[in-house]
Amino acid sequence: DAGVTQSPTHLIKTRGQQVTLRCSPKSGHDTVSWYQQALGQGPQFIFQYYEEEERQRGNFPDRFSGHQFPNYSSELNVNALLLGDSALYLCASRGTSGGWQETQYFGPGTRLLVL
Amino acid sequence: AQSVSQHNHHVILSEAASLELGCNYSYGGTVNLFWYVQYPGQHLQLLLKYFSGDPLVKGIKGFEAEFIKSKFSFNLRKPSVQWSDTAEYFCAVNAGSSNTGKLIFGQGTTLQVKP
């Protein structure tokens, strides 16, 4: 049973460019959340997708957008990249059959470097 | 706004020493509490969680944590650490059933265990 998978593992971009990160949730999970983890910090919640809609959003600008597909996989898009967007981007998935007590499982992350 | 504070940024212990990592949160309502661990080169893994019931919860690898509602705390403990416990530890809060999926993380504690 594959866990949460993310691609690519590493990415280098320049300021002003756009980037798309991908996530496949753990089998049986239908909810995907994205987090940004800057060096030396804890992960910060970006947004959550369920039933192909953004359900919750953290304190991130509109440059950060996402999408969820019918197979529950998800993309995170970041436009007009800034140096400060350099971070590890984590995807987490959870099921909803157990209600709000379901645990989130994290993927290995995508390391984004903006030059 | 909800927040999580981890008191120790960097802890160095010798093998067999006892461990206690502090975690305090700010939120007055119902909370779900988590400790995640990130071993070097690996992704975030759940150590233990508290949703309700017995405030003393046991997790994997001999870890336990105690929820003290009056102190808004959820400290992590282990009686005897091993070199393999060297990792980054994150406390996280999910603010009740109305805010599912959005985890608020502390800044993390780096634990270094000397053999």
Side-chain angles (χ1 to χ4, degrees):
Chain A
D1 175 27
V4 180
T5 59
Q6 293 185 241
S7 63
T9 55
H10 295 81
L11 206 49
I12 300 175
K13 292 285 188 178
T14 56
R15 281 178 297 174
Q17 284 189 312
Q18 179 263 345
V19 68
T20 297
L21 311 181
R22 296 176 176 83
C23 170
S24 291
K26 184 177 168 64
S27 177
H29 288 182
D30 54 9
T31 301
V32 172
S33 299
W34 287 92
Y35 292 80
Q36 180 194 65
Q37 186 178 13
L39 204 59
Q41 301 294 320
Q44 285 198 314
F45 178 80
I46 302 175
F47 42 54
Q48 180 190 70
Y49 276 84
Y50 172 64
E51 291 186 333
E52 302 179 50
E53 290 188 14
E54 183 182 295
R55 299 292 177 168
Q56 293 189 78
R57 190 177 183 92
N59 189 24
F60 279 81
D62 291 344
R63 298 186 298 107
F64 289 77
S65 63
H67 189 77
Q68 186 179 35
F69 300 93
N71 66 352
Y72 309 123
S73 66
S74 176
E75 287 181 351
L76 164 65
N77 300 292
V78 187
N79 294 322
L81 284 167
L82 304 173
L83 295 179
D85 295 331
S86 295
L88 180 67
Y89 288 85
L90 298 169
C91 173
S93 73
R94 59 189 285 273
T96 51
S97 60
W100 53 275
Q101 292 193 351
E102 288 277 345
T103 299
Q104 288 191 64
Y105 292 86
F106 284 81
T110 294
R111 175 77 63 186
L112 172 65
L113 177 61
V114 182
L115 300 176
Chain B
Q2 302 153 32
S3 65
V4 176
S5 176
Q6 293 182 237
H7 314 303
N8 318 97
H9 295 288
H10 199 156
V11 173
I12 302 173
L13 295 173
S14 297
E15 275 193 315
S18 64
L19 170 72
E20 180 158 4
L21 301 183
C23 173
N24 285 90
Y25 64 92
S26 64
Y27 183 72
T30 303
V31 291
N32 305 318
L33 298 157
F34 307 82
W35 275 97
Y36 281 86
V37 61
Q38 193 167 30
Y39 297 105
Q42 296 187 29
H43 58 275
L44 274 171
Q45 300 173 39
L46 181 69
L47 262 183
L48 46 78
K49 61 186 178 183
Y50 172 80
F51 288 137
S52 62
D54 188 345
L56 184 62
V57 291
K58 295 190 184 299
I60 61 172
K61 304 187 180 185
F63 285 91
E64 65 179 30
E66 184 176 13
F67 170 50
I68 303 179
K69 189 174 181 179
S70 61
K71 294 184 178 180
F72 298 92
S73 71
F74 190 56
N75 292 353
L76 180 71
R77 299 194 293 248
K78 186 171 184 179
S80 177
V81 295
Q82 301 174 317
W83 177 79
S84 58
D85 293 325
T86 295
E88 186 93 17
Y89 291 81
F90 293 96
C91 179
V93 168
N94 176 334
S97 58
S98 63
N99 204 6
T100 60
K102 178 181 178 180
L103 289 175
I104 308 296
F105 283 86
Q107 70 269 40
T109 297
T110 301
L111 172 65
Q112 183 181 353
V113 180
K114 294 184 172 181

